[in-house]
Amino acid sequence: MDYDAVFWDIGGVLLDVDSVREAHTRFMERFVAAHGLDVNPQAALEQWRGAVGRQFREREGNAYQSAREAYALALADLAGRDLADDEWFPLFRETSARYLRPTPHARAVVAALADAGVYQGIVSDVDTEEGEFILSLFGVLEHVDDVTTSEAVGRTKPDDAMFETALSKSPVTPERTVMVGDRYDHDVAGAARHGIHGVAFGENADGSDASHRIDDLRAVLDIVGVRGER
């Protein structure tokens, strides 16, 4: 069966998660140096990640939590004082631009689908500005038709509102749509509840509701029925 629309997750699908870890490591090294903190950068990184994680775990259910706000609060805790945005965010953004990278073949696959006229939407648990920054950085924002973020919806996957919102903006029916995700409950099973065919990217996304299983994003072209890659 071929399809007419592809919904994409960002983190772990279009965005290489190893590059996120590297970007955060480099950012913390620079942040510690810039603020003269008497702490090992690796220890500071672990403390920061722990504080961010606690904030997300303490949210109510699938309610949206701003990653930027969580980062800022955790950095303030690390620094021992409140921080203005210009004391950390420009450095964070600059480091992200330098170290974040797309998953292998992501850019080429998205471009090939766009050339073939396949509708493409983003369905991701990100802050809107951050999601668009990443997509622009990778040169794929121009190829997608719509971006649905948790910030815009106020909920996170697998909340029904995320998929209902994405589908409401798509001209393609759910049964002609695939969702490419790296998490089973959030992406694959969540999409399946709405009649969307889940494409499990990696073993963490695999499960009974997965219509397709892939380890290489180029396989999406075959699933959709588009031949070739830029």
Side-chain angles (χ1 to χ4, degrees):
M1 179 180 181
D2 293 344
Y3 301 93
D4 301 313
V6 176
F7 288 168
W8 297 99
D9 185 25
I10 295 180
V13 177
L14 297 179
L15 169 62
D16 186 303
V17 293
D18 288 336
S19 74
V20 176
R21 297 187 186 99
E22 182 176 10
H24 286 176
T25 298
R26 301 307 178 194
F27 163 70
M28 189 55 66
E29 291 172 350
R30 300 177 69 188
F31 178 82
V32 167
H35 291 274
L37 301 182
D38 185 20
V39 60
N40 178 277
Q42 186 60 41
L45 179 64
E46 294 304 318
Q47 180 180 335
W48 178 60
R49 285 174 172 165
V52 170
R54 284 192 299 275
Q55 291 183 60
F56 278 96
R57 287 192 297 272
E58 290 170 359
R59 67 182 177 177
E60 181 182 348
N62 294 325
Y64 162 72
Q65 162 72 58
S66 167
R68 179 167 172 169
E69 290 179 5
Y71 291 169
L73 289 171
L75 288 171
D77 183 60
L78 185 64
R81 63 179 180 85
D82 291 338
L83 295 170
D85 271 5
D86 61 8
E87 292 185 272
W88 74 274
F89 189 69
L91 185 63
F92 182 84
R93 180 53 59 83
E94 178 189 339
T95 309
S96 296
R98 181 179 303 181
Y99 291 101
L100 294 184
R101 61 181 182 272
T103 300
H105 313 296
R107 183 184 293 113
V109 170
V110 171
L113 291 171
D115 285 347
V118 175
Y119 178 91
Q120 296 182 86
I122 301 296
V123 186
S124 182
D125 293 339
V126 293
D127 297 358
T128 300
E129 182 184 11
E130 183 68 10
E132 292 180 351
F133 163 74
I134 292 169
L135 296 172
S136 295
L137 179 67
F138 295 165
V140 300
L141 182 60
E142 64 189 85
H143 296 306
V144 301
D145 298 282
D146 187 75
V147 178
T148 298
T149 67
S150 288
E151 180 176 9
V153 177
R155 309 294 292 176
T156 63
K157 293 178 292 184
D159 194 282
D160 290 341
M162 287 292 290
F163 298 101
E164 290 169 354
T165 299
L167 286 170
S168 72
K169 295 181 286 185
S170 171
V172 181
T173 58
E175 60 269 17
R176 301 291 299 176
T177 302
V178 296
M179 171 75 203
V180 187
D182 66 323
R183 294 182 296 175
Y184 179 72
D185 290 336
H186 288 70
D187 301 317
V188 175
R193 288 201 303 272
H194 297 274
I196 303 167
H197 296 266
V199 178
F201 182 45
E203 60 182 19
N204 290 333
D206 200 3
S208 59
D209 283 326
S211 298
H212 307 276
R213 299 159 181 82
I214 65 172
D215 294 308
D216 187 316
L217 290 184
R218 290 174 293 187
V220 174
L221 298 176
D222 291 329
I223 290 170
V224 175
V226 173
R227 304 294 177 254
E229 174 192 329
R230 284 187 177 184

